[in-house]
Amino acid sequence: MSNSGVVPDLLDCLVVGGGPAGLTAAIYLSRFRRKVAVVDDGNSRALWIPRSHNCSGFPDGIGGRELLARMKTQAECFGAKLIRGRIERIYGTAGEFRADGEAIRIEAHAIVLATGTVNRKPDIDAATHQAALDRGQLRYCPICDGFEAAGQAIGVLGADARGVAEALFLRTYSEDVTLLTMDAVDVDADDLARLNKAGIKLERRRLARLEFGEDGVSTLLEDGDALRLDTVYPALGSDSNDMLAQALGLKMGDGCCIAVDQKQRTSREGVYAAGDIVHALDQISVAMGHAAIAATTLHNDLRERDEAVR
């Protein structure tokens, strides 16, 4: 990945974000013989995945870091330029966008936003967080790895509607699921009845601290008592990386995600979006599918524009 962010030539497309969506878009566009650059700040949440078993073609699983490395190599093989950095501003209109950041200046006919989202984390330091992820003691996606937590003592952080939904989903995999209270219990009577029916425990005492060790997770409660768990799922929500979308005045869906049509076009001509920044199921396979559609649509839109001016 290059550190040089000044691209002298007018590109067909600038892709913002180098996660599974952005890199898939770059692979498709470069194979369409388009001039494309990907600008990525190195913070894709795919990097948090120790090993995914949901990626087709990898029966033994693949780590997020390795998957992205392979995708970068593949994109570069076909001519995509990969730049480490962060886009701060995008100006202009379809056909003549300009994007700037620290030591970055790029001009492009079209933009693909694949900026993703960021999970809200419990209050633990970065090293502990990574070690807990690596050991499977901290997990963020029940759809991705609930299977790997089967039969374990599972804790879900967040005694609210979001936490209830996640706990009920995880009940498929384990009979030992506990919903933990972060600040206050915000569970209505209907949800409480659902928890009771499913045999999910609601711990009303507030969580004071999480401790991760080789033999499991210790959840220290406000009264000094502690629960021993095998793994913990924070159900604390996520925040969209929507700064550029907001600055471009894009129509948003579901409050914080970019609204797109069936071809991944946004409300602004020449701007497309793919991956977790779009309201959909947050999965690598979905992000790749979005990107394939966005890249193909973008390529065809540029072809039609070029044909019209000939």
Side-chain angles (χ1 to χ4, degrees):
M1 180 172 283
S2 171
N3 289 318
S4 175
V6 178
V7 179
D9 299 324
L10 178 65
L11 298 176
D12 292 306
C13 180
L14 165 64
V15 179
V16 186
L23 291 171
T24 298
I27 290 167
Y28 271 71
L29 287 164
S30 57
R31 285 177 53 80
F32 290 145
R33 307 186 77 174
R34 293 293 182 180
K35 292 186 292 185
V36 57
V38 179
V39 176
D40 178 56
D41 64 5
N43 290 314
S44 169
R45 65 175 176 171
L47 294 169
W48 289 10
I49 302 172
R51 183 160 294 271
S52 172
H53 292 83
N54 277 2
C55 291
S56 299
F58 296 96
D60 296 322
I62 184 169
R65 191 171 298 276
E66 181 184 354
L67 178 65
L68 292 185
R70 289 182 178 218
M71 294 180 74
K72 290 173 185 176
T73 298
Q74 189 170 352
E76 288 182 313
C77 280
F78 295 110
K81 182 177 179 62
L82 307 185
I83 299 168
R84 173 61 64 87
R86 186 177 180 86
I87 297 295
E88 303 288 351
R89 297 167 296 278
I90 298 177
Y91 312 93
T93 57
E96 47 187 21
F97 288 109
R98 175 177 169 177
D100 296 332
E102 185 177 350
I104 294 175
R105 186 173 67 253
I106 295 172
E107 294 180 349
H109 291 302
I111 305 289
V112 173
L113 294 180
T115 49
T117 63
V118 179
N119 291 105
R120 295 172 190 160
K121 301 185 294 184
D123 186 18
I124 53 179
D125 65 86
T128 300
H129 183 270
Q130 187 60 55
L133 286 174
D134 292 342
R135 288 196 295 261
Q137 295 173 337
L138 185 64
R139 302 175 181 272
Y140 281 90
C141 180
I143 296 171
C144 304
D145 55 23
F147 185 92
E148 278 65 48
Q152 295 185 353
I154 301 172
V156 177
L157 303 184
D160 55 16
R162 184 188 293 113
V164 169
E166 196 148 313
L168 289 168
F169 186 94
L170 285 162
R171 180 62 180 80
T172 301
Y173 299 101
S174 175
E175 297 181 356
D176 188 355
V177 180
T178 302
L179 188 59
L180 298 163
T181 300
M182 299 294 289
D183 296 310
V185 176
D186 185 17
V187 177
D188 63 26
D190 288 342
D191 278 343
L192 184 58
R194 296 172 73 198
L195 292 174
N196 289 334
K197 184 177 180 180
I200 295 170
K201 299 179 285 293
L202 172 59
E203 178 52 69
R204 293 180 175 273
R205 293 170 293 178
R206 282 196 323 115
L207 177 67
R209 190 168 73 254
L210 289 170
E211 293 185 352
F212 299 91
E214 294 294 336
D215 59 346
V217 186
S218 180
T219 59
L220 303 180
L221 305 175
E222 60 183 344
D223 63 358
D225 199 0
L227 304 176
R228 191 268 180 196
L229 300 169
D230 295 308
T231 191
V232 171
Y233 281 85
L236 307 177
S238 59
D239 297 301
S240 295
N241 290 318
D242 62 356
M243 179 191 74
L244 293 175
Q246 297 287 356
L248 285 166
L250 301 184
K251 182 179 179 181
M252 307 300 284
D254 193 42
C256 59
C257 295
I258 299 174
V260 295
D261 68 10
Q262 291 184 340
K263 299 294 187 180
Q264 304 301 130
R265 298 184 184 97
T266 73
S267 58
R268 185 160 178 170
E269 185 182 359
V271 181
Y272 307 76
D276 296 348
I277 191 64
V278 175
H279 180 51
L281 184 66
D282 289 359
Q283 289 287 288
I284 290 172
S285 57
V286 174
M288 290 178 172
H290 284 172
I293 295 169
T296 304
T297 303
L298 187 159
H299 172 62
N300 287 332
D301 286 348
L302 289 182
R303 280 195 315 104
E304 290 175 9
R305 186 206 63 181
D306 291 342
E307 290 171 4
V309 299
R310 283 186 187 137

